[in-house]
Amino acid sequence: MNKPLLIVSSITYAMKGQEILKRQGIKATVRRVPKSQVLSGCGYGLLVTCNPDKAEDILSKFQIKVLGRMDSEDAQ
């Protein structure tokens, strides 16, 4: 099963989001999004091990906007 990649606007938000999710008990890994898949921003995302809706809700509460989602297989 592939993990979802939540795309954020910058490496700073990706790193901040990773720490926030870690504090909530959710493992997240910062990944670079391929240039062909970048929606806007610099193209970084968080590979999450939980339900992506749950992770997105948590990030939203900390003012980290998720710009989109993609399957981790597509980000290789």
Side-chain angles (χ1 to χ4, degrees):
M1 182 174 153
N2 292 321
K3 298 174 190 169
L5 182 70
L6 304 178
I7 302 168
V8 294
S9 62
S10 70
I11 183 71
T12 303
Y13 281 122
M15 292 170 66
K16 182 178 176 182
Q18 180 183 33
E19 184 60 33
I20 289 166
L21 292 173
K22 180 181 175 184
R23 283 185 273 156
Q24 299 293 319
I26 298 170
K27 183 176 180 186
T29 307
V30 176
R31 289 277 196 257
R32 183 88 169 106
V33 178
K35 288 184 188 266
S36 62
Q37 302 290 328
V38 174
L39 302 173
S40 68
C42 66
Y44 281 89
L46 290 164
L47 203 59
V48 295
T49 59
C50 71
N51 178 323
D53 293 328
K54 179 180 177 181
E56 190 169 344
D57 286 344
I58 292 168
L59 294 173
S60 177
K61 288 177 185 173
F62 288 89
Q63 288 77 45
I64 297 176
K65 184 176 180 182
V66 174
L67 302 176
R69 294 182 192 178
M70 65 186 309
D71 190 39
S72 62
E73 189 174 274
D74 296 334
Q76 301 300 321

